[in-house]
Structures are given as structure tokens and as C-alpha cells.
Amino acid sequence: MKDSVVGASFRVLAAPGPFATALWRAEFSPRGLRRLSVAPKSAGIEQGNGREMAQSDPRLKRLKKLIARRMAGQRGDLDFDEFDLTDAPKFHLEVWRAMHAIPFGEVMTYAELAGEAGSPLAFRACGQACRNNRIVLFIPCHRVVSSTGIGGFAGGLHWKRALLTLEGQSSIVNPKS
DNA sequence: CACAATGACCAAT
DNA sequence: ATTGGTCATTGTG
């Protein structure tokens, strides 16, 4: 029952920049998207435990299409119930849900997000939950910034910068006056 | 179970 | 630049 999990690695056509050579990896269970990650071209992506899925799989094609839209600076979302987040700690789920609700092009601080998740004082634990995000891009952890600056990003800050730039938040990427 | 340790933090020195 | 505060999760005994 654990092994109707399938995954695939792929690229998406994008304008020159970090995403042009990025390698994506997605994993699906029958319940939905289990994981989505990006890595630079050269880096080996963790292979997951499931089998490889066909590149022609409808779920994958739809995902690629959405990603391509986002790489072009346009909107494109997945509903929260399209993710399979089972086996995640409860608090993480709360935070991820709140994070999912941050609109395209907007940002929120870790503290604010903690409040949205129902634990205003858990801003630090909130950072943990962000770090543990499994669905890059569609659970927009890049829209969560620190009160003093841009904050962090698991797997490389350059992704966060690039994503925020795509959404018109260059003022955060380049703190100017 | 009961701890101690660990953060993609924050606000006030 | 430093510090003390806060909190869920994870690791250790």
C-alpha cells in the first residue's frame, strides 16, 4: 500500500536564469501530490522510494503546465486538497495550510504566519515547518520572509530570490531604500 | 516516558 | 552584535 507512489524528474521551459536549467522532481500517491522539489541541473535529486511514472501521465502534464505558467510570471495554483500530506505532524499541516493561503505576489513574515496558523508565539517553530515544506512553489514557502530581511530557504536562497522576483517582490530581494 | 537540543525567528539591549 | 524568550519536533537514554 505504500507503493502506488510514483515519481518523475523533468524540466520545464523557462526564460534564461536559474530555472532554465532546473531539474524538477515530483512524486504522486493515489491521494495526490506528495512532493515537489527543484534542484540545479547538476545536483542529484533524491530518488524517492516509488517507481518512475510515465512522462505522459496526465497528472504530470498538468503539473508541468502550471509550473511553466509560474516560470513565466503568471499565476497558477493547486488546491490544498490536491496534496498528499499524510504522515506530517499536525502543526506542520496548520502552517502549510496558512502558507497556501498567501496570495500570489504577497508576502508574510514568519511571525504573521505563526499567527495565521493559530500559534502567534510559535514563530520559530513556524520556521521549522517552512523548512520542512515538501511542495515547493505551490505551497509557497518563498512568500514567507523574516521581519528583518528575506529569511532563509532550504536548498538555496537563490531559488527564493528568483521566485520572489517572478512575483514582483524585487524590493525584498534587493533591500534598497 | 522524560529530558535536551535544534532551528528558514523576534524584540529589545 | 548579543541575548533572552518561545515553541513544536526530533533524537537520546
Side-chain angles (χ1 to χ4, degrees):
Chain A
M1 23 217 80
K2 70 151 90 150
D3 281 25
S4 30
V5 177
V6 290
S9 302
F10 57 94
R11 296 181 198 289
V12 170
L13 189 61
F19 296 115
T21 54
L23 184 61
W24 301 80
R25 172 141 193 110
E27 273 176 30
F28 289 90
S29 83
R31 303 182 50 119
L33 183 60
R34 255 185 102 61
R35 154 166 253 122
L36 177 65
S37 48
V38 241
K41 171 188 184 175
S42 48
I45 281 199
E46 81 187 72
Q47 175 91 2
N49 10 356
R51 301 194 313 98
E52 293 302 295
M53 70 196 293
Q55 293 284 331
S56 61
D57 187 301
R59 293 173 293 178
L60 196 52
K61 296 186 83 167
R62 170 157 175 260
L63 186 64
K64 287 182 188 174
K65 203 168 180 177
L66 281 169
I67 294 177
R69 281 232 287 273
R70 291 289 286 276
M71 294 305 95
Q74 299 177 287
R75 309 188 178 221
D77 294 311
L78 287 169
D79 291 331
F80 195 70
D81 58 15
E82 298 187 73
F83 306 130
D84 175 10
L85 270 16
T86 52
D87 79 346
K90 191 172 166 214
F91 181 72
H92 286 186
L93 286 169
E94 288 303 319
V95 173
W96 295 341
R97 197 169 45 70
M99 199 153 49
H100 181 73
I102 306 177
F104 182 95
E106 293 185 23
V107 296
M108 194 176 274
T109 66
Y110 291 94
E112 287 167 341
L113 182 62
E116 291 295 312
S119 310
L121 298 181
F123 37 76
R124 199 160 184 182
C126 192
Q128 310 264 27
C130 294
R131 176 166 42 89
N132 280 102
N133 180 30
R134 303 177 188 164
I135 317 281
V136 189
L137 190 58
F138 295 106
I139 295 185
C141 54
H142 59 278
R143 292 180 194 147
V144 187
V145 301
S146 95
S147 63
T148 59
I150 190 175
F153 198 82
L157 256 183
H158 53 281
W159 297 118
K160 189 171 187 173
R161 286 195 253 265
L163 290 170
L164 284 172
T165 302
L166 271 178
E167 299 190 13
Q169 289 286 355
S170 40
S171 59
I172 293 181
V173 177
N174 297 320
K176 279 280 158 62
S177 54

